[in-house]
Amino acid sequence: MKNIFQNKKAIKIAAVVILVIVMVGLTIAGIPLVKMLSTDEGREAIQAIVDRNIVLGVLVYLLLQMLQVVVALIPGGVIQILGGVLFGNFWGMVLCFLGILLGSILVFMTVRKFGMPVVEAFVDSKGIKRFEFLNDDKKLEATVFILFLIPGMPKDALTYIVPLTKIKPMRFFVLSMIARTPAIILSTVFGASLSGGNLITAIVVIAVVAVLGLTGILFKDKIIDRLRRKKESP
């Protein structure tokens, strides 16, 4: 019996190691795409891919968006804006939403399967400790929704940490994606407006994003502390 448990533990450890290697491999594979985003020539090359082959362009974009959720290569807003630039308001939003959802499902189900070792591989100990209060089931869903709604929150880290709680998968996907929707809409509208030469709309949107982002950055720690105290109070 002892050997059976030891074998199961060894298999689990091996699975986690393989998973980390795969994710690192995906990260390395995505580096050329990420570098392309940092130059005008690179962004034009991605636009050319979309213009030549819309299916390939959609797949490349979805891969970038999923990678951003899984390994947080670059700020999520950059990819969301790119969606608006490449595909316009509506389809940019749809593809951005789909990419984030697919990445979130991958991360959530992986953490549920393999637990803390996966989280520790992608989130530093400080980030894990910061959200330990989520282990308390009291008002868990409302707390998760608020955390994903507030601009500036480390949503990629939360996507790894929340699956360690008892929240139901479908509830998490629905709540987190609804909370992410305003940011997705603003980012894709900004990208589409910028690409289409609608500078007035682009300026208005970026001003709103800047105000919301600055507010989130200034008050996110206070919000987290308040949520922590509420969950810890009897």
Side-chain angles (χ1 to χ4, degrees):
M1 183 67 70
K2 185 177 180 180
N3 289 335
I4 292 175
F5 285 119
Q6 288 177 339
N7 289 338
K8 286 184 177 181
K9 185 176 181 180
I11 291 172
K12 188 172 183 178
I13 292 172
V16 172
V17 171
I18 292 172
L19 176 68
V20 171
I21 291 173
V22 169
M23 287 186 171
V24 170
L26 287 173
T27 302
I28 294 172
I31 286 175
L33 290 175
V34 175
K35 285 184 176 179
M36 290 174 71
L37 296 177
S38 64
T39 64
D40 291 336
E41 294 80 5
R43 289 188 289 272
E44 289 173 2
I46 293 177
Q47 180 69 66
I49 291 174
V50 174
D51 292 339
R52 287 197 306 268
N53 189 327
I54 187 65
V55 174
L56 179 60
V58 167
L59 292 176
V60 168
Y61 178 76
L62 288 176
L63 174 62
L64 277 170
Q65 186 62 82
M66 289 178 66
L67 279 175
Q68 190 279 318
V69 175
V70 173
V71 295
L73 278 170
I74 53 178
V78 174
I79 299 297
Q80 293 167 22
I81 291 170
L82 180 66
V85 170
L86 295 177
F87 304 103
N89 285 327
F90 178 75
W91 287 111
M93 181 182 68
V94 169
L95 292 174
C96 179
F97 192 95
L98 180 59
I100 292 175
L101 177 60
L102 291 174
S104 298
I105 291 172
L106 176 60
V107 170
F108 189 98
M109 302 313 292
T110 301
V111 173
R112 275 288 166 92
K113 178 68 175 177
F114 299 108
M116 183 60 81
V118 174
V119 180
E120 291 175 336
F122 293 94
V123 182
D124 59 34
S125 58
K126 183 179 179 181
I128 295 172
K129 186 174 180 61
R130 190 181 190 190
F131 294 104
E132 281 182 343
F133 68 92
L134 290 174
N135 289 324
D136 182 358
D137 293 340
K138 184 172 64 173
K139 297 181 180 178
L140 174 60
E141 292 183 355
T143 302
V144 168
F145 179 80
I146 292 171
L147 289 173
F148 274 88
L149 181 64
I150 300 300
M153 287 290 178
K155 296 179 178 61
D156 297 320
L158 281 167
T159 304
Y160 277 92
I161 293 169
V162 173
L164 296 174
T165 70
K166 294 182 179 180
I167 194 169
K168 295 181 179 179
M170 188 56 65
R171 297 289 291 179
F172 169 72
F173 301 138
V174 170
L175 289 171
S176 63
M177 293 309 300
I178 290 175
R180 284 178 179 267
T181 297
I184 292 174
I185 292 174
L186 286 172
S187 297
T188 51
V189 168
F190 172 72
S193 299
L194 198 62
S195 177
N198 192 342
L199 295 182
I200 294 178
T201 301
I203 291 171
V204 170
V205 172
I206 198 62
V208 172
V209 171
V211 171
L212 292 176
L214 183 60
T215 302
I217 291 171
L218 291 176
F219 294 101
K220 67 178 180 180
D221 290 335
K222 292 182 179 179
I223 293 170
I224 292 172
D225 289 339
R226 187 169 183 178
L227 290 172
R228 182 187 295 111
R229 288 196 299 270
K230 278 189 174 183
K231 290 180 74 65
E232 291 175 349
S233 62

